């Protein structure tokens, strides 16, 4: 379980996060919603060690994350699919997956783990030796998520996975996230602007506005609250 | 015919030395995206280390190995001390630092060992091999140069393509932030890239010394040609560096053999201009100009 308490991040004069607190339970998708510039990406980057926090704490199953380097946080079982997916286009599909498997798996475990990803995402198997730059948007998404889960993380951070994808692919992705959290007990923090899709799979929803959590509630309640949607989510 | 053959053979062995320098430039450029003007001077330093050992009565091969190891550590130290602190700001700053380093290293070598040129022993005989009844301008040492540089390139390609550390290095070079998110210690990979580049530079220094006038400045002109070779090859590709080295070596050898030795640098310049006008990304560079 991820437990976040009073997390604050500042970029110069910009207070990107101010005292953010929440929990993300194992086996559940926690949706983080909010308009542009609300601080969603900053929250994920703070959790994976890419930006330094001014105050607050975050623990994964009791172990502190804040203050550690990203390289160390990955080793603790945190996988982060960044904004834009972070597929390395110059590397082949298989090399991207190998890179994901490298630090947390023993040499002998990697082959099986990568084959397991090909079982879930069959189109990737056919393209394993092609550079990732040759993939379609949907396939890149598969690769990004496959690379994040190949080493069996305990916490998966996803930054706007639906961006730029066709509606059917988005639906597919959300279905997959539901499966991953339900079956593997993975805790998923899902940052989305695609509110409907995110709420459809989430067990808990947070709404960020100007760096603060303004709503933390069950997804149905967020969906029903027209004022809230108009105010903070813009629809 | 004899002149032509010997000119070509001479170009091949010189070209392979330029290729070794170019391979070092490619390694640094791939790892940290900058051009290292001190590549030659680092090789000069480590070759002087070997020279001191040889003068002290140590055998050639132990001195050879020590020079390569010295290159490895020198490269790592330079990255950690001079390049790392400048990263993230203007990419020009570290490049200028490498120019400064070139001057400083040559100054240090001059004050320790003196500025006069001297001989440096080859690994093998430099007497031309006999083909039938004629002797050609290609010796056992030239053969060693060719073999050593081909091995260097092959090892580089194999490490990048087939090893975990090579994959980490490529990931770190292409997308440092993504690589960090996957647990790659990116800074360490940059240091390793520089260390390997300087090891290649040390090899280049040892190969060039017996066929140049060995002293603090003997790598300067070799660096110019090695740089030509690397740019011809696209500054990113090991195979490109090797081919670029051969083309440069042949070009300046032919210019030197038929038009006069003074025109050699001009020949390299003309070659560089001609290729870059036809293919601005170099012979092996991709049009995208990405770091590959
Ligand atoms: N590197 C940075 N330097 C300065 N300010 C930044 C930086 N990154 C983000 N910000 C600012 O911090 C605030 C939060 O940005 P963040 O990227 O976390 O928002 P977001 O919710 O992910 O937005 P989006 O939906 O557009 O991705 C914004 O005001 C943004 O301008
Ligand atoms: Mg964002």
């Amino acid at each position: 379980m991820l437990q976040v308490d009073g997390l604050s991040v500042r970029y110069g004069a910009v207070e990107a996060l101010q005292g953010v607190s929440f929990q993300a339970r194992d086996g559940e998708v926690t949706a983080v919603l909010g308009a542009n510039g609300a601080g969603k990406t900053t929250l994920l980057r703070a959790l994976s060690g890419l930006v330094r926090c001014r105050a607050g704490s975050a623990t994964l199953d009791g172990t502190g994350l804040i203050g550690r380097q990203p390289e160390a946080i990955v080793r603790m079982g945190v996988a982060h699919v960044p904004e834009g997916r972070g597929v390395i286009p110059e590397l082949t599909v298989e090399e991207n997956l190998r890179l994901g498997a490298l630090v947390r798996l023993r040499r002998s475990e990697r082959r099986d783990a990568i084959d397991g990803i090909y079982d879930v995402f069959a189109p990737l198997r056919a393209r394993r030796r092609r550079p990732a730059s040759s993939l379609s948007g949907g396939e890149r998404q598969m690769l990004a998520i496959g690379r994040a889960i190949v080493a069996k993380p305990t916490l998966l951070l996803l930054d706007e996975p639906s961006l730029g994808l066709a509606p059917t692919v988005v639906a597919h992705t959300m279905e997959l996230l539901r499966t991953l959290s339900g079956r593997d007990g993975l805790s998923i923090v899902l940052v989305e602007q695609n509110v409907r899709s995110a709420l459809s799979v989430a067990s808990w929803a947070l709404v960020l506005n100007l760096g603060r959590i303004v709503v933390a509630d069950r997804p149905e309640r967020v969906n029903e609250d027209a004022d809230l949607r108009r105010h903070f989510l813009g629809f | 015919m004899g002149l032509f053959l010997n000119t070509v053979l001479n170009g091949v062995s010189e070209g392979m030395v330029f290729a070794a320098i170019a391979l070092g430039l490619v390694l640094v450029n791939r790892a940290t995206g900058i051009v290292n003007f001190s590549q030659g001077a680092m090789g000069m330093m480590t070759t002087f280390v070997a020279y001191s050992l040889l003068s002290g009565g140590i055998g050639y091969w132990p001195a050879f190995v020590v020079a390569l190891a010295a290159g490895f550590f020198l490269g790592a130290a330079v990255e950690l001390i001079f390049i790392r602190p400048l990263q993230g700001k203007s990419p020009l700053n570290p490049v200028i630092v490498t120019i400064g380093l070139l001057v400083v290293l040559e100054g240090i070598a001059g004050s320790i060992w003196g500025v006069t040129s001297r001989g440096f022993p080859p690994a093998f005989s430099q007497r031309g091999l006999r083909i039938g009844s004629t002797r050609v301008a290609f010796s056992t040492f030239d053969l060693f140069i060719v073999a050593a540089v081909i091995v260097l390139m092959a090892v580089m390609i194999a490490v990048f393509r087939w090893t975990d550390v090579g994959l980490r290095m490529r990931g770190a070079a292409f997308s440092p932030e993504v690589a960090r998110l996957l647990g790659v210690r990116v800074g360490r990979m940059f240091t390793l890239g520089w260390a390997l580049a300087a090891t290649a530079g040390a090899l280049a220094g040892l190969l060039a010394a017996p066929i140049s006038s060995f002293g603090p400045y003997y790598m300067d002109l070799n660096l110019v040609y090695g740089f030509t070779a690397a740019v011809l090859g696209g500054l990113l590709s090991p195979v490109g560096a090797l081919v670029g080295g051969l083309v440069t070596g042949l070009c300046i050898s032919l210019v030197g053999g038929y038009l006069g030795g003074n025109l050699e640098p001009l020949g390299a310049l003309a070659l560089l201009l001609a290729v870059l006008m036809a293919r601005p990304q170099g012979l092996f560079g991709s049009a995208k100009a990405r770091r590959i």
Side-chain angles (χ1 to χ4, degrees), chain B:
Chain B
M1 186 57 212
L3 173 63
F4 179 74
L5 179 69
N6 284 338
T7 309
V8 167
L9 289 172
N10 189 44
V12 168
S13 48
E14 284 195 339
M16 289 308 243
V17 172
F18 307 152
I21 297 170
L23 285 168
L25 293 170
V26 164
L27 273 165
V28 162
N29 189 45
R30 281 175 70 132
T32 47
I34 67 169
V35 174
N36 176 18
F37 282 95
S38 65
Q39 180 67 27
M42 294 201 290
M44 173 278 295
M45 251 351 230
T46 54
T47 305
F48 262 111
V49 169
Y51 177 82
S52 293
L53 293 176
L54 289 167
S55 312
I58 299 213
Y60 182 88
W61 293 110
F64 184 92
V65 171
V66 170
L68 294 190
F72 187 91
F73 289 109
L74 179 61
V78 164
E79 197 275 339
L80 284 171
I81 299 168
F82 298 106
I83 307 300
R84 183 74 61 88
L86 297 174
Q87 247 168 18
K89 290 152 201 145
S90 160
L92 202 57
N93 295 351
V95 175
I96 291 167
V97 166
T98 67
I99 296 175
L101 206 59
L102 157 72
V103 176
V104 169
L105 288 174
E106 289 182 347
I108 293 174
S111 65
I112 299 177
W113 292 287
V115 293
T116 49
S117 302
R118 66 207 73 193
F120 188 91
F124 297 97
S125 160
Q126 279 183 293
R127 245 174 86 103
L129 294 171
R130 199 190 282 281
I131 294 180
S133 59
T134 52
R135 245 175 224 292
V136 291
F138 200 80
S139 64
T140 318
F141 181 60
D142 292 320
L143 211 56
F144 172 67
I145 291 178
V146 172
V149 177
I150 287 177
V151 167
L152 173 67
M153 180 199 67
V155 167
M156 244 172 90
I157 291 175
V159 165
F160 277 127
R161 197 164 295 172
W162 288 306
T163 69
D164 287 347
V165 72
L167 181 60
R168 283 172 211 248
M169 287 179 74
R170 282 190 296 154
F174 293 138
S175 303
E177 188 169 289
V178 173
R180 288 190 85 191
L181 284 178
L182 297 173
V184 176
R185 296 197 164 88
V186 170
R188 238 184 249 182
M189 293 302 116
F190 291 169
T191 309
L192 184 61
W194 273 79
L196 294 177
T199 310
L203 177 68
L206 291 163
L207 297 178
I211 57 175
S212 317
S213 51
F214 175 59
Y217 309 111
Y218 83 108
M219 288 298 271
D220 286 355
L221 198 57
N222 284 316
L223 177 73
V224 172
Y225 295 142
F227 189 69
T228 307
V231 173
L232 287 183
L235 258 171
L236 292 165
S237 144
V239 176
L242 191 88
V243 174
L246 277 177
V247 171
T248 309
L250 289 173
C251 170
I252 66 162
S253 183
L254 289 170
V255 168
Y258 289 95
L259 304 176
N262 294 335
L263 292 177
E264 283 180 5
L266 222 56
L269 186 64
L271 173 70
L272 194 58
L273 284 177
V275 171
L276 289 187
M277 277 198 285
R279 273 183 71 84
Q281 69 275 31
L283 294 173
F284 285 74
S286 68
K288 280 193 306 169
R290 296 280 322 227
R291 289 195 261 148
I292 296 195

Side-chain angles (χ1 to χ4, degrees), chain A residues 38-232:
Chain A
K40 306 181 297 295
T41 296
T42 303
L43 174 61
L44 298 193
R45 291 172 67 83
L47 293 175
S48 57
L50 287 174
V51 298
R52 202 168 321 166
C53 299
R54 205 161 55 81
S57 72
T59 57
L60 182 63
D61 301 324
T63 313
L65 298 176
I66 304 303
R68 292 180 201 264
Q69 295 293 311
E71 301 89 306
I73 292 176
V74 183
R75 286 171 172 76
M76 293 169 58
V78 178
H80 182 167
V81 179
E83 228 166 0
R85 309 196 216 297
V87 160
I88 303 181
E90 296 90 343
L91 299 183
T92 64
V93 168
E94 173 117 348
E95 284 168 342
N96 269 281
L97 291 172
R98 269 175 61 204
L99 210 48
L102 217 51
V103 300
R104 269 172 51 83
L105 299 183
R106 274 193 291 274
R107 199 173 285 271
S108 57
E109 301 168 328
R110 291 179 201 154
R111 187 68 257 165
D112 282 349
I114 291 174
D115 284 335
I117 296 303
Y118 291 143
D119 292 339
V120 180
F121 302 109
L124 294 183
R125 175 173 275 136
R127 292 169 194 278
R128 56 203 289 176
R129 295 189 202 295
R130 308 282 304 279
S133 58
S134 72
L135 299 183
S136 71
E139 289 164 346
R140 280 187 196 217
Q141 172 81 292
M142 294 178 195
L143 181 55
I145 295 180
R147 192 182 64 186
I149 61 175
V150 67
K152 310 253 177 334
T154 49
L155 173 64
L156 177 59
L157 309 172
L158 290 162
D159 201 341
E160 304 209 29
S162 74
L163 202 71
L165 293 183
T168 52
V169 183
V170 173
H172 213 96
T173 305
M174 295 301 153
E175 202 47 53
L176 176 74
L177 297 183
R178 198 205 303 271
T179 313
L180 284 175
S181 60
R183 189 195 57 195
D184 302 345
L186 184 59
S187 172
I188 299 181
V189 175
L190 172 64
V191 161
E192 263 302 344
Q193 299 243 26
N194 189 335
V195 175
R196 283 176 207 287
S197 300
L199 292 179
S200 72
V201 290
S203 304
W204 192 246
L206 309 170
V207 179
L208 270 178
N209 188 51
L210 300 176
R212 293 179 191 277
I213 292 187
V214 289
V215 176
D217 211 334
R218 302 224 316 277
E220 312 81 87
R221 297 276 299 272
V222 175
N223 226 347
E224 286 157 10
D225 190 336
D227 272 356
L228 183 152
R229 292 197 331 235
R230 199 171 326 113
H231 239 89
F232 299 116

